[in-house]
């Protein structure tokens, strides 16, 4: 398959793994920020191709995993109301809230629909003018432009029965939270290529400089990740701390300017609660004043709720690179994809889901 097979070539992977081994003289800990990269690493056994003293730890870049529990509760509350069509990406449905999830709300009669784009939700709103249609807008900078476009289009075309339940989060503040946490052991980062396709990578340069860490913008195929690790190791070994771009086929330094403008028109930066991690300043997006009418929290009167997170799930530690999924006592026993205790077990980008699916135990030291 063109544009896939060439990035999964086993011989090229072995060549890269040899290069990495030759370049490495001491132990290094590198975090892949994005859950999509985590899945590729575990699925293709990329970590097993690395010298044993390179440790890859998994980062907070799974949007479903970090959606705060109170927003799941709000989603369930809104979805359970009569006259509402609640639209969401599929992997949000089984994410547990305090007492329920969207799947249960649907089983109990709520009109919860899986969509693949916010524009699908907008179409449903146009087709059902007598219903309130809500889209669960989760994601990092990658999904923000499409969500911004949906709400901008709704206003332009006079659709008033459409709103967003917004849970957008931003990558650079999350990297800073990892770096400034007292137990941090991450020495280099693989930054998420798709986020940088939208935002570019200038935001990472002050972080790299301030904390003295290499940050390599990296793609999602096995060879992308191996090359990203190689570039990161080379910097670490040479004592450099710069932002490098492995994903040149998609990422430009300044990113996609029209997409950034769209985000700025519709959203403003706010502090945001991250599931398992806590509140991170300036780490989320909310609708601007101009689009406040399209805010589902206000429209349905669910703003302001705060809930305690269950203590058994250690996903916050996993998302900060402090633990691995198999170190959770509930992994694969009390917590499975069918009966999850945390979002990282059900998200398609969740680290616990990746280990459960591809690797039940951890053989490497
Ligand atoms: S295995 Fe389950 S309970 Fe443990 S960290 Fe992962 S999601 Fe949470």
């Amino acid at each position: 398959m063109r544009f896939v097979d060439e990035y999964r070539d086993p011989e090229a992977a072995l060549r890269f793994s040899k290069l990495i081994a030759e370049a490495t003289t001491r132990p290094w800990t590198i975090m892949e920020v994005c859950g999509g990269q985590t899945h590729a690493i575990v699925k293709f056994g990329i970590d097993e191709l690395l010298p044993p003293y390179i440790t890859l730890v998994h980062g907070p870049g799974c949007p479903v995993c970090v959606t705060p529990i109170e927003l799941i509760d709000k989603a369930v509350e809104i979805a359970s109301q009569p006259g509402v069509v609640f639209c969401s990406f599929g992997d949000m449905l089984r994410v547990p809230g305090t007492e329920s999830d969207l799947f249960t709300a649907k089983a109990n009669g709520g009109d919860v629909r899986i969509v693949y784009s916010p524009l699908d939700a907008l179409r449903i709103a146009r087709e059902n003018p007598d219903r309130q249609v809500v889209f669960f807008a989760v994601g990092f900078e990658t999904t923000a432009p499409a969500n911004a476009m949906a709400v901008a289009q709704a206003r332009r075309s006079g659709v008033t029965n459409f709103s967003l339940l917004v849970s957008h989060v931003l990558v650079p503040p999350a990297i800073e939270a990892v770096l400034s946490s007292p137990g941090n052991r991450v020495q280099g980062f693989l930054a998420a290529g798709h986020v940088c396709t939208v935002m570019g990578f200038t935001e990472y340069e002050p972080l790299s400089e301030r904390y003295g860490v290499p940050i390599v913008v990296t793609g999602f195929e096995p060879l992308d990740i191996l090359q990203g690790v190689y570039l990161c190791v080379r910097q670490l070994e040479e004592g450099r701390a710069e932002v490098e771009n492995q994903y040149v086929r998609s990422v430009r330094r300044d990113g996609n300017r029209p997409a950034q403008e769209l985000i700025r028109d519709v959203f403003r930066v706010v502090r945001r609660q991250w599931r398992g991690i806590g509140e991170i300043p300036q780490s989320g997006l909310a609708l601007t004043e101009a689009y406040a009418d399209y805010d589902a929290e206000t429209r349905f009167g669910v703003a302001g709720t705060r809930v305690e997170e269950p203590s058994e799930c250690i996903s916050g530690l996993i998302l900060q690179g402090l633990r691995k999924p198999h170190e959770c006592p509930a992994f694969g026993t009390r917590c499975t994809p069918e009966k999850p205790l945390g979002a990282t077990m059900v998200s398609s980008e969740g680290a616990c889901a990746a280990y459960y699916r591809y690797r039940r135990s951890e053989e490497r030291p």
Side-chain angles (χ1 to χ4, degrees):
M1 194 190 302
R2 207 160 168 243
F3 300 132
V4 172
D5 287 350
E6 55 266 62
Y7 299 108
R8 295 183 180 180
D9 175 3
E11 280 177 23
L14 286 175
R15 277 200 301 279
F16 262 120
S17 116
K18 201 159 164 269
L19 276 178
I20 295 167
E22 283 166 3
T24 312
T25 63
R26 59 201 132 139
W28 298 112
T29 299
I30 297 170
M31 172 180 275
E32 85 281 357
V33 173
C34 170
Q37 292 168 332
T38 304
H39 270 250
I41 287 165
V42 181
K43 178 177 175 185
F44 293 104
I46 293 168
D47 49 345
E48 290 164 348
L49 290 174
L50 301 177
Y53 33 91
I54 292 188
T55 305
L56 292 183
V57 292
H58 316 309
C62 161
V64 172
C65 305
V66 299
T67 296
I69 201 160
E70 58 258 29
L71 267 168
I72 305 292
D73 289 352
K74 288 172 188 181
V76 170
E77 190 179 336
I78 294 170
S80 305
Q81 295 191 20
V84 168
V85 181
F86 193 91
C87 300
S88 169
F89 296 135
D91 49 2
M92 293 303 298
L93 263 63
R94 279 208 178 270
V95 176
T98 310
E99 285 175 358
S100 188
D101 56 32
L102 282 167
F103 192 76
T104 307
K106 183 175 171 63
N108 290 340
D111 191 348
V112 178
R113 301 189 195 179
I114 293 173
V115 293
Y116 298 97
S117 150
L119 295 175
D120 291 341
L122 181 56
R123 178 183 44 77
I124 293 169
R126 285 201 178 98
E127 291 168 358
N128 296 274
D130 54 334
R131 312 275 301 275
Q132 283 292 327
V133 178
V134 182
F135 178 70
F136 202 174
V138 301
F140 284 87
E141 294 91 328
T142 335
T143 52
N147 293 342
M149 184 180 288
V151 84
Q153 275 192 14
R155 198 172 66 177
R156 246 198 326 268
S157 52
V159 177
T160 55
N161 62 325
F162 176 72
S163 56
L164 297 183
L165 181 60
V166 182
S167 180
H168 271 299
V169 275
L170 302 169
V171 171
I175 290 184
E176 181 145 30
V178 168
L179 284 168
S180 51
S181 85
N184 174 50
R185 57 182 174 140
V186 180
Q187 293 159 298
F189 288 88
L190 308 184
H194 49 13
V195 167
C196 296
T197 301
V198 175
M199 302 305 290
F201 52 84
T202 53
E203 297 174 299
Y204 299 88
E205 289 166 346
L207 278 177
S208 169
E209 201 181 323
R210 193 169 337 129
Y211 291 93
V213 288
I215 301 178
V216 180
V217 178
T218 304
F220 303 88
E221 292 297 331
L223 290 188
D224 289 324
I225 294 168
L226 282 165
Q227 190 180 17
V229 171
Y230 174 62
L231 294 173
C232 201
V233 166
R234 223 173 48 179
Q235 284 202 47
L236 288 164
E237 290 282 342
E238 291 170 6
R240 288 183 291 124
E242 296 161 16
V243 179
E244 269 183 288
N245 182 13
Q246 180 279 328
Y247 203 38
V248 285
R249 67 183 182 280
S250 180
V251 173
R252 303 283 166 272
R253 186 166 191 276
D254 294 326
N256 181 331
R257 288 273 176 80
Q260 291 165 25
E261 268 167 41
L262 198 53
I263 294 173
R264 272 195 300 271
D265 280 353
V266 173
F267 294 117
R268 64 195 161 96
V269 176
V270 293
R271 66 183 168 202
R272 173 97 39 214
Q273 189 76 15
W274 293 54
R275 186 173 185 141
I277 298 176
E279 192 171 280
I280 304 179
Q282 305 287 293
S283 70
L285 296 175
L287 289 163
T288 56
E289 204 52 42
Y291 287 93
D293 291 356
Y294 291 89
D295 187 342
E297 287 196 54
T298 318
R299 191 173 291 194
F300 293 91
V302 294
T305 328
R306 267 287 155 86
V307 294
E308 288 298 313
E309 293 188 16
S311 55
E312 191 171 15
C313 177
I314 62 158
S315 62
L317 297 176
I318 293 169
L319 293 165
Q320 294 173 88
L322 300 170
R323 293 276 191 285
K324 291 224 178 179
H326 66 279
E327 295 177 87
C328 173
F331 177 81
T333 53
R334 288 186 306 288
C335 180
T336 62
E338 290 72 37
K339 285 196 92 176
L341 291 176
T344 41
M345 186 53 97
V346 275
S347 167
S348 61
E349 295 189 10
C352 299
Y355 277 71
Y356 189 88
R357 188 160 174 200
Y358 302 116
R359 194 182 305 166
R360 298 294 177 89
S361 63
E362 180 65 275
E363 297 86 20
R364 281 170 58 97

